[in-house]
Amino acid sequence: YDPAASAQLAYDPAGARALLAEAGYLDSDGDGILETPGGEPFALELLIHRNRERQDIAELMVAGLLNVGVAAEVELVEWGSLVGRVTSPERDFDGAVLSWAPEFRLDDRDLFHSDRLEGPFSFSGISDPELDGLMDALPLMTDRAEAEEAWRAFQARLVELQPFTILYFPDRIAGRADRLQGLVMDARGEWASIHGW
């Protein structure tokens, strides 16, 4: 993890408003909501499923977006419908609040590689040759110093492109009852050893 990469993502509503204005999103009628370059109100829909934590996050996002002139509404959908919409080839959504639990050996090709653009997990639809090259090289690196430099470049490129935003990594507490045998905990989480429980 490179803290310098995430430091570039500071909360900066004034900077966001300036970037939106530079891209042609202006509040021409003074109602507090920006208009797109085509003259339509800048409005987004955020998909969430029934989960208190996701609902809280979505409410904060709506308030934050409104602070920069973007009208966002939350659509509460059933889990299967949410997954269907974000993984469908049509990508019929503006935004979604999801959680992601990576494996111990990080491989983000399903999420970000151009070769996987039509795959179900390429939510963002990003295609970037520099990112592709890093994702192709990282699994093959055996020199730790070389790999560390490549991981830093990978993180910096993700921050620059922002295919989606990771809001936080939660602290988690896991427990088990003594009657449950065969549970092995590691950095991958509690489900990695489920076959041996």
Side-chain angles (χ1 to χ4, degrees), residues 105-167:
R105 183 161 173 82
L106 189 62
D107 180 354
D108 284 339
R109 285 180 288 199
D110 282 339
L111 296 172
F112 306 127
H113 201 288
S114 299
D115 289 350
R116 312 281 171 88
L117 200 53
E118 301 302 320
F121 301 114
S122 186
F123 311 127
S124 68
I126 193 166
S127 179
D128 181 70
E130 182 180 337
L131 207 54
D132 292 345
L134 287 163
M135 286 183 284
D136 290 339
L138 280 164
L140 307 175
M141 292 183 174
T142 55
D143 179 85
R144 290 182 70 83
E146 181 185 11
E148 183 176 352
E149 185 178 323
W151 278 112
R152 288 181 188 278
F154 176 71
Q155 291 174 61
R157 188 66 178 157
L158 280 179
V159 167
E160 182 180 350
L161 297 171
Q162 280 296 285
F164 57 71
T165 300
I166 297 171
L167 299 173

Side-chain angles (χ1 to χ4, degrees), residues 20-82:
L20 287 164
E22 183 180 311
Y25 291 82
L26 305 170
D27 182 11
S28 303
D29 59 11
D31 67 353
I33 303 299
L34 301 174
E35 287 84 38
T36 67
E40 299 294 319
F42 191 178
L44 302 173
E45 186 175 75
L46 296 172
L47 302 178
I48 63 168
H49 67 95
R50 190 169 302 280
N51 172 297
R52 185 71 246 167
E53 184 177 12
R54 305 293 180 293
Q55 288 175 274
D56 291 346
I57 290 167
E59 288 174 17
L60 290 170
M61 290 175 70
V62 166
L65 288 166
L66 188 58
N67 189 33
V68 296
V70 180
E73 291 187 12
V74 175
E75 181 180 350
L76 187 63
V77 295
E78 181 270 329
W79 174 247
S81 176
L82 174 67

Side-chain angles (χ1 to χ4, degrees), residues 173-188:
I173 297 176
R176 69 166 178 86
D178 287 339
R179 68 180 185 277
L180 178 61
Q181 301 298 308
L183 175 63
V184 178
M185 298 291 289
D186 65 26
R188 297 172 295 171

